Amino acid sequence: MMQKKNRAFLKWAGGKYSLVEHIAAKLPQANKLIEPFVGAGSVFLNTQYKRYLLNDINPDLINLYNLLKAQPDAVIHDARQFFTSGKNKEAIYYELREEFNTTTDDYYRAVLFLYLNRHGYNGLCRYSLAGRFNVPFGRYKKPYFPEEEMLVFAEKSQHATFTCLPFEKVFSRARRGNVIYCDPPYAPLSKTAAFTSYAARSFGNDAQHKLAALAHRASAVRGIPVLISNHDLPLTRELYKGADFDMLSVKRSISQNGALRKPAAEILAYFPPNESAPGKPARSRKKAKTVAANATHITLP
């Protein structure tokens, strides 16, 4: 039975708080959980592994996590100073956003990142092509200061290592006995819904294909189980062919128009580990490699 659910201290598009029971139920026992796309960390916060390797391509996110892990009292104390009625004003928000975009002080940038996350529109994390944070003011009456959630995160993060690497490199760090959970930027439901700017770089079809190929290879050749969340689409079902599928319906809250926030079908694709990998006879090893190789030659429907 899952213990009391822990909320992430950041607001995050596509956060998994509402789905952690389903995700945790699909994750097998392991000595380490690896998340190449950790985001706000809801799965990390609501699972019980001995160790974690938590990665994200967003350097601001990982910078904040590392500082909160190392000096939680200081970060919480200093961040609290920004959660006042005087700083919840549009002009002040844009002044602080500009300071965030120009400062070279990692600590100050981390504190401002939390401020922007809680005061910006809809909890979005979005950057221009030049790498400048560009989310507009959120106009909230009184933004919540997540002190308790930050303390829980800081305590649990003592068992975690945070990295800011391409997801391919994170897969290469996985070992037999680990499990990988992937929550990538989702394949778009339509061409106009391609919201992939969580970091300055986008996550397009090539990346979706590469992730699927790595998942196939990790499970078939290396004996490492992989679980992936994504939209339930013909594309993702083709990409994850051979995996075990669970279907979910999730209320999304990205749309600016509340009336358009309709449930979106999601899929959980589980790639079970090939139990004979990696210490298997040469013949079966060759067969497993063929399976993985085929997974890299997926064509778009």
Side-chain angles (χ1 to χ4, degrees):
M1 181 179 289
M2 183 176 285
Q3 300 173 346
K4 173 182 174 290
K5 282 175 74 173
N6 296 310
R7 280 193 179 275
F9 69 90
L10 294 170
K11 298 166 77 172
W12 208 253
K16 290 296 178 286
Y17 179 78
S18 64
L19 297 177
V20 288
E21 294 93 343
H22 300 285
I23 294 166
K26 291 293 293 184
L27 287 169
Q29 290 186 334
N31 57 28
K32 182 192 287 185
L33 174 65
I34 297 175
E35 292 196 58
F37 311 89
V38 68
S42 288
V43 173
F44 156 62
L45 289 166
N46 291 286
T47 50
Q48 305 300 322
Y49 291 94
K50 286 184 178 179
R51 291 178 294 146
Y52 293 85
L53 174 58
L54 306 175
N55 180 82
D56 202 278
I57 198 65
N58 185 329
D60 292 315
L61 185 69
I62 298 305
N63 177 49
L64 173 56
Y65 287 170
N66 273 320
L67 286 167
L68 185 60
K69 173 185 176 180
Q71 40 189 322
D73 293 341
V75 172
I76 290 170
H77 174 272
D78 293 333
R80 189 188 291 110
Q81 315 309 312
F82 289 85
F83 284 72
T84 64
S85 58
K87 289 190 168 59
N88 188 28
K89 292 186 167 74
E90 188 166 6
I92 301 298
Y93 174 86
Y94 288 116
E95 284 179 17
L96 291 171
R97 192 181 76 174
E98 182 60 24
E99 287 190 26
F100 173 83
N101 282 323
T102 55
T103 185
T104 57
D105 185 323
D106 285 343
Y107 184 87
Y108 186 44
R109 193 171 170 97
V111 171
L112 287 178
F113 186 71
L114 175 59
Y115 165 82
L116 294 170
N117 174 263
R118 285 277 169 182
H119 291 74
Y121 179 77
N122 217 20
L124 293 177
C125 184
R126 192 184 64 198
Y127 299 80
S128 69
L129 291 176
R132 290 172 60 85
F133 190 88
N134 63 4
V135 176
F137 184 54
R139 303 183 187 281
Y140 298 108
K141 188 173 181 181
K142 187 180 180 183
Y144 172 68
F145 181 61
E147 178 170 1
E148 183 181 342
E149 293 85 349
M150 292 172 77
L151 286 168
V152 169
F153 190 100
E155 182 178 356
K156 194 169 177 66
S157 69
Q158 301 309 310
H159 304 284
T161 298
F162 297 101
T163 58
C164 184
L165 298 167
F167 68 88
E168 302 93 327
K169 291 194 175 181
V170 182
F171 267 81
S172 72
R173 293 191 174 193
R175 298 291 181 266
R176 186 78 181 262
N178 301 165
V179 59
I180 302 173
Y181 169 63
C182 297
D183 182 25
Y186 279 13
L189 293 170
S190 66
K191 288 183 179 179
T192 57
F195 180 81
T196 54
S197 300
Y198 294 100
R201 289 170 250 177
S202 65
F203 196 91
N205 273 328
D206 286 349
Q208 296 285 357
H209 281 70
K210 189 177 290 186
L211 174 60
L214 285 170
H216 280 284
R217 184 180 185 280
S219 62
V221 178
R222 305 176 66 202
I224 301 168
V226 182
L227 181 66
I228 305 180
S229 295
N230 213 319
H231 279 140
D232 189 355
L233 299 168
L235 168 64
T236 52
R237 285 189 174 256
E238 178 68 20
L239 288 175
Y240 307 148
K241 190 180 289 183
D244 299 328
F245 292 147
D246 276 84
M247 284 69 75
L248 305 167
S249 182
V250 184
K251 188 173 182 181
R252 279 274 163 256
S253 58
I254 285 292
S255 172
Q256 292 186 29
N257 185 339
L260 299 179
R261 293 174 190 174
K262 298 177 181 178
E266 294 200 8
I267 198 167
L268 276 175
Y270 178 64
F271 298 82
N274 176 1
E275 296 299 341
S276 62
K280 52 192 174 301
R283 188 173 179 180
S284 63
R285 185 182 298 120
K286 182 177 180 181
K287 182 179 179 181
K289 284 187 177 179
T290 302
V291 170
N294 289 340
T296 66
H297 294 102
I298 302 165
T299 54
L300 282 165

